[in-house]
């Protein structure tokens, strides 16, 4: 039995009536750009994310750029982020005009090491972008206390962590702002690109909305020079329909993770995802570690089980950052993980049979 990495077609088939009706309504109402469906989704998502304001935009990458532009980062400023993430996080620091300062991860949760953050601070540091990687929150108490001590802003990259919480508090509510991606494969995904910045600061939200909408909220009244980064009506209507299922889908991912944990823990050589105390995990990705990762992946793929490596190269070691002249020794955890991580099939609709198939193939490899 083949097991896909994710199954967006099955998700669609399960809620086809709701999705088709949402799309038809947008076409009927000619509500393609902005309009009532976008406004409704912004209200609904703000509530779901426990914040006052949600400013939608074109994608999660723009969300990072918009948030940093609104914070007015400038040449000479340094922004600290993790060595282990999708490249948007660090690339937008550069595009917003600042310098990227990479920190290693903590060696167990794949999230940024607060001790490394503290060590990376210089008089030019202006902010920190922790990433709640794979769906597990970074150590927000430690990060917020460092930020407070040094007068830094914090933007949480929540692209992989919709509805995750840290000590009972929703991710995205700790920092000055948080960014979300609704890329189709994310835990809440559109049928195209989509993203948002969330914050509980009204003036900050308005500034971001202006930046995203040609510099003004009212047509032809350009207060500043903005960009065009809008969520379109169809994606908003689809996201509203899917948002109603997100809690259930999240629970299903967590149950699937427990199933994997229990079974894979019995297998020699497999390290299942480590959860730090007080943190929930929403398993955007279920990522194990294995010393013979490439051989294990080949074995699984031969049996029709799709896997992924998120991500094959730690950010500082990518060609894009050659100018920074980093070495792997500076990021022992992120570099070590890049050779041993393997993401297994994980999606809300995964069945016990599919999971058993994955576990059987992993066990077969190990014996
Ligand atoms: C997906 C992702 C982004 C970018 O989101 P897009 O919507 O694809 O632009 C940013 N950061 C992280 C950690 C992501 O996983």
């Amino acid at each position: 039995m083949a097991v896909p990495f994710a199954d967006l077609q099955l998700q669609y088939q399960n809620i086809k009536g709701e999705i088709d009706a949402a799309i038809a309504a947008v076409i009927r109402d000619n509500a393609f750009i902005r309009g009532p469906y976008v406004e409704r989704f912004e209200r609904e998502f703000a509530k779901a994310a426990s914040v006052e304001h949600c400013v939608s935009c074109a994608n999660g990458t723009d969300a990072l750029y918009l948030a940093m532009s609104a914070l007015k980062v400038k040449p000479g400023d340094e922004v600290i982020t993790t060595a282990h993430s999708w490249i948007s996080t660090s690339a937008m620091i550069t595009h917003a005009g600042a310098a990227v300062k990479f920190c290693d991860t903590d060696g167990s949760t794949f999230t940024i090491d607060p001790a490394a953050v503290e060590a990376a601070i210089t008089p030019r540091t202006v902010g920190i972008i922790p990433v709640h990687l794979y769906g597990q929150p970074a150590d927000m108490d430690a990060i917020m206390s460092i930020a407070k001590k040094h007068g830094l802003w914090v933007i949480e990259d929540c692209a992989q962590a919709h509805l995750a919480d840290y000590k009972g508090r929703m991710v995205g509510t700790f920092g000055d702002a948080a960014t979300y991606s609704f890329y189709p494969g994310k835990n809440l995904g559109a049928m195209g690109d989509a993203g948002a910045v969330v914050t509980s600061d009204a003036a900050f939200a308005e500034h971001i909305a202006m930046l995203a909408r040609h510099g003004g909220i009212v047509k032809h009244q350009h207060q500043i020079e903005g960009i065009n980064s809008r969520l379109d009506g169809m994606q908003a209507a689809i996201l509203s329909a899917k948002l109603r299922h997100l809690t259930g889908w999240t629970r299903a991912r967590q149950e699937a993770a427990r199933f994997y944990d229990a079974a894979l823990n019995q297998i020699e050589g497999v390290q299942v995802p480590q959860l730090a105390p007080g943190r929930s995990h929403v398993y955007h990705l279920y990522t194990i570690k294995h010393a013979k990762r490439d051989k294990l992946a080949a074995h699984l793929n031969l049996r029709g089980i799709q896997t992924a490596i998120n991500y094959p190269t730690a950010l500082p070691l990518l060609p894009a950052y050659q100018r920074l002249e980093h070495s792997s020794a500076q990021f022992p955890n992120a570099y070590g993980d890049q050779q041993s991580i393997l993401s297994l099939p994980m999606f809300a609709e995964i069945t016990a049979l599919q999971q058993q198939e994955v576990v059987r193939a992993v066990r077969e490899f190990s014996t």
Side-chain angles (χ1 to χ4, degrees):
M1 179 176 56
V3 185
F5 189 66
D7 197 340
L8 292 178
Q9 184 57 226
L10 176 60
Q11 186 197 58
Y12 169 60
Q13 292 303 330
N14 286 345
I15 56 166
K16 185 171 186 305
E18 293 160 67
I19 299 289
D20 291 355
I23 294 170
V26 174
I27 297 171
R28 180 197 63 211
D29 296 346
N30 262 312
F32 299 113
I33 299 292
R34 293 297 310 171
Y37 296 96
V38 173
E39 280 165 23
R40 187 182 70 182
F41 174 68
E42 288 178 335
R43 281 194 306 275
E44 290 173 349
F45 191 72
K47 189 154 175 268
S50 295
V51 291
E52 296 293 323
H53 308 279
C54 166
V55 182
S56 61
C57 63
N59 55 66
T61 305
D62 279 7
L64 286 158
Y65 173 78
L66 290 164
M68 272 183 277
S69 298
L71 286 161
K72 301 193 167 72
V73 301
K74 57 182 189 309
D77 290 349
E78 294 176 0
V79 176
I80 293 171
T81 196
T82 172
H84 190 159
S85 183
W86 176 246
I87 190 167
S88 300
T89 318
S90 53
M92 291 307 107
I93 294 173
T94 308
H95 284 298
V100 188
K101 293 289 148 179
F102 286 113
C103 283
D104 202 8
T105 47
D106 66 14
S108 70
T109 68
F110 303 112
T111 62
I112 197 166
D113 180 1
V117 172
E118 183 96 63
I121 290 171
T122 75
R124 292 180 297 283
T125 308
V126 294
I128 310 168
I129 309 185
V131 180
H132 306 310
L133 201 79
Y134 301 160
Q136 175 167 203
D139 188 353
M140 290 315 295
D141 276 353
I143 291 163
M144 292 314 297
S145 92
I146 294 167
K148 204 165 165 207
K149 184 169 142 198
H150 296 273
L152 310 174
W153 52 252
V154 173
I155 299 172
E156 298 171 71
D157 184 339
C158 299
Q160 304 188 359
H162 314 70
L163 304 190
D165 70 73
Y166 177 92
K167 299 186 179 169
R169 186 169 153 190
M170 189 86 71
V171 295
T173 64
F174 292 85
D176 299 73
T179 60
Y180 283 88
S181 166
F182 307 114
Y183 174 83
K186 297 287 160 77
N187 287 23
L188 176 62
M191 290 176 149
D193 274 319
V197 183
V198 303
T199 177
S200 286
D201 180 331
F204 190 61
E206 192 181 55
H207 189 179
I208 292 168
M210 282 197 293
L211 280 172
R213 291 151 66 177
H214 298 296
I217 308 287
V218 181
K219 198 167 189 174
H220 301 308
Q221 295 184 18
H222 309 283
Q223 311 297 329
I224 52 177
E225 290 177 303
I227 62 169
N228 175 6
S229 181
R230 295 176 298 215
L231 176 65
D232 69 74
M234 240 179 251
Q235 300 309 335
I238 289 165
L239 287 167
S240 282
K242 288 196 181 185
L243 182 56
R244 294 193 273 280
H245 299 279
L246 186 57
T247 303
W249 287 340
T250 302
R251 223 174 280 134
R253 282 176 183 272
Q254 290 167 331
E255 271 161 32
R258 274 197 293 276
F259 183 102
Y260 271 146
D261 283 348
L264 296 173
N265 251 327
Q266 316 291 322
I267 302 172
E268 180 87 21
V270 177
Q271 190 186 115
V272 301
Q274 307 291 297
L275 246 92
R279 303 189 215 180
S280 78
H281 195 319
V282 296
Y283 298 98
H284 168 57
L285 294 165
Y286 185 90
T287 304
I288 61 167
K289 291 211 258 182
H290 197 289
K292 295 185 188 142
R293 189 270 314 277
D294 291 334
K295 285 196 174 113
L296 172 60
H299 178 85
L300 295 178
N301 297 351
L302 210 64
R303 276 152 190 74
I305 296 165
Q306 287 178 352
T307 60
I309 299 169
N310 309 93
Y311 301 91
T313 309
L315 293 175
L317 308 177
L318 284 168
Y321 294 105
Q322 220 157 23
R323 66 179 186 278
L324 302 179
E325 298 181 338
H326 284 306
S327 72
S328 53
Q330 294 174 282
F331 309 95
N333 294 326
Y335 179 67
D337 289 343
Q338 93 181 35
Q339 355 225 10
S340 64
I341 48 174
L342 187 66
S343 303
L344 301 179
M346 168 57 76
F347 47 100
E349 301 80 7
I350 196 168
T351 64
L353 271 173
Q354 287 174 314
Q355 289 198 271
Q356 277 158 5
E357 186 77 11
V358 176
V359 171
R360 208 167 56 82
V362 175
R363 191 180 298 119
E364 188 182 57
F365 175 78
S366 304
T367 50

